[in-house]
Amino acid sequence: MPSAPSRVVNVPVNQIREITQAAWATPDSIVLSIGEPGFPVARHVLEAGMAALDRDETNYTPNAGLAPVRAAFAARFSRLAGVEDDPSRVFVVAGAQQGLHLALSTLIGTGDEVLIPDPGYPTFTMTVGLLGGVPVPYPLVPGHGFQPRVEDLQRLVTARTRVLMLNSPSNPLGSVFGSDLTRELVRFAHRNDLWVISDECYEAFTYDVPHVSPARFDAGGPEAVSEAREARVVTSLTLSKTYGLTGLRIGALVTPPGMEQLLSNVMEATVSCVAAASQYAALAALTGPQDYVSTALDHYRDNRDAATAVLDARGIGYLDARGAFYLWADLSHATGGDVRAWTRRFLAERGVALAPGTAFGARGEGWVRIALCGRTDELVEGLSRLPSPQD
């Protein structure tokens, strides 16, 4: 058999999937390792998708998506991010992961470097490597609240650096960037002639703090930094988390002016277009009743509070979650320097699956990510089995 290229062979295993698949094969396990919303999808969304199939809406759509769907994404982005956006610059994609692949396929070449958060979502690194780029991790450390520092980023910039990857609210950390930090990050990108890919998959879920989109400070934004001569922020959105549509694979890229034809070409060469039924379901989600979102937000906040109460009682440290639906907890007292192996033992011995911190980068050693999106009773029971520093 001919060998696969090194860029494929070297794609790392996704440790989130690794532990979750082991949990699915373990009877009666409590699965806190994966971000799968637990509420039924709203009925009007399901009916819109089914109606499209009943009408035999099964043909190709334009590469960038159906016009009403693009307009609905643009309207949501304008409303929540405070950025007026033209639907012509919105591309409907097969979930945020395909959007990430599409954006990076358009922006980087072989050997180009991408600044990736560490800890950060694992497919950032996986996708850059698969495309022949070089992922360069930038440190997010406990002493700075796991927030990026411009001085750390500046030290990593070389002549090959092309893209800065940002993620707020953060998966896995639950951290949220404030306005001042976001402004400085956009200023840094313009000063160093970098593209920005802003992963805003959890923009609907913040707790007592606002979501701030980097596009606000890009050229054309309402608070554009003085260095912004032309727009360079690409925003990734998804309905997977916001409306619980993980299996329909539907999201959007909001792009700077001038990228439309390039992205259309790359889209044609990857998935051509997103399934029409998924797009009609998305249109119903975006334009119909928003009860699902408000109910989910309240549930995630309540689960966060219930989880932190358990961790406080057990003396386990954690990062205060201000967004997304994850809690980042410090289990270094128990993991013995190998949190990946420890999570497998913990699943086998105590029947609870947690995502190991090393799934998100080397700086995640000793930490675990706890998903807050499931049933409260299972969450509390699972966390009550964690070893405390006093055990």
Side-chain angles (χ1 to χ4, degrees):
M1 178 185 296
S3 59
S6 59
R7 60 181 174 78
V8 176
V9 173
N10 293 333
V11 172
V13 171
N14 187 328
Q15 296 177 37
I16 306 170
R17 284 285 176 179
E18 179 183 63
I19 190 66
T20 302
Q21 288 172 352
W24 288 337
T26 302
D28 301 320
S29 61
I30 296 175
V31 183
L32 305 178
S33 55
I34 194 167
E36 180 72 66
F39 294 103
V41 172
R43 188 66 199 172
H44 70 280
V45 175
L46 296 175
E47 290 176 351
M50 291 186 287
L53 294 175
D54 285 340
R55 296 193 303 269
D56 192 21
E57 294 259 5
T58 54
N59 298 325
Y60 290 121
T61 74
N63 292 133
L66 295 166
V69 183
R70 299 172 75 188
F73 269 113
R76 178 176 176 83
F77 186 64
S78 297
R79 184 172 66 254
L80 296 182
V83 177
E84 290 299 323
D85 197 53
D86 186 334
S88 68
R89 293 192 283 109
V90 173
F91 275 69
V92 180
V93 294
Q97 180 53 44
Q98 192 259 322
L100 174 65
H101 192 281
L102 176 64
L104 286 168
S105 296
T106 307
L107 300 179
I108 67 170
T110 301
D112 286 344
E113 297 171 355
V114 179
L115 299 175
I116 302 288
D118 179 8
Y121 193 62
T123 62
F124 296 164
T125 295
M126 296 168 72
T127 306
V128 171
L130 186 61
L131 292 171
V134 179
V136 177
Y138 60 85
L140 306 179
V141 299
H144 199 67
F146 289 97
Q147 300 268 335
R149 294 179 294 193
V150 170
E151 57 267 33
D152 291 332
L153 292 165
Q154 193 63 62
R155 282 192 289 268
L156 296 171
V157 172
T158 74
R160 296 306 303 265
T161 310
R162 294 290 181 269
V163 177
L164 169 64
M165 186 74 65
L166 299 177
N167 178 210
S168 174
S170 167
N171 177 8
L173 302 170
S175 58
V176 176
F177 300 167
S179 292
D180 290 346
L181 173 59
T182 306
R183 182 184 297 106
E184 287 308 306
L185 291 169
V186 173
R187 180 171 285 123
F188 160 82
H190 279 275
R191 191 168 61 241
N192 289 278
D193 196 26
L194 305 180
W195 294 101
V196 175
I197 298 178
S198 178
D199 176 355
E200 301 178 31
C201 291
Y202 297 90
E203 44 82 18
F205 303 123
T206 60
Y207 314 109
D208 308 316
V209 295
H211 168 63
V212 181
S213 176
R216 289 188 63 85
F217 307 104
D218 200 19
E223 301 177 55
V225 297
S226 59
E227 293 87 346
R229 299 290 182 262
E230 55 186 4
R232 60 185 61 236
V233 175
V234 179
T235 305
S236 174
L237 305 171
T238 183
L239 304 191
S240 291
K241 313 300 183 181
T242 310
Y243 299 98
L245 304 183
T246 54
L248 289 189
R249 311 312 304 138
I250 189 81
L253 282 181
V254 183
T255 68
M259 291 184 65
E260 296 89 341
Q261 188 58 56
L262 289 174
L263 278 165
S264 183
N265 294 344
V266 178
M267 188 77 170
E268 175 65 25
T270 51
V271 297
S272 295
C273 59
V274 175
S278 292
Q279 293 193 57
Y280 281 107
L283 181 61
L286 289 163
T287 60
Q290 300 296 299
D291 304 46
Y292 180 100
V293 182
S294 58
T295 299
L297 177 63
D298 289 343
H299 178 69
Y300 302 151
R301 181 190 287 109
D302 290 346
N303 270 6
R304 179 201 61 174
D305 295 344
T308 56
V310 175
L311 297 185
D312 286 338
R314 301 193 65 74
I316 297 171
Y318 56 87
L319 178 67
D320 184 27
R322 308 303 299 274
F325 46 62
Y326 304 105
L327 192 60
W328 186 244
D330 183 1
L331 269 293
S332 57
H333 59 275
T335 58
D338 189 348
V339 69
R340 183 182 186 183
W342 179 84
T343 57
R344 294 298 294 265
R345 291 196 304 272
F346 189 62
L347 172 62
E349 296 169 4
R350 303 306 306 274
V352 181
L354 303 166
T358 48
F360 309 97
R363 291 181 179 273
E365 181 57 66
W367 295 75
V368 297
R369 189 196 71 174
I370 302 161
L372 302 172
C373 43
R375 288 170 41 187
T376 307
D377 59 341
E378 287 193 347
L379 174 65
V380 170
E381 173 58 30
L383 298 186
S384 72
R385 302 178 191 179
L386 287 172
S388 75
Q390 290 75 41
D391 291 345

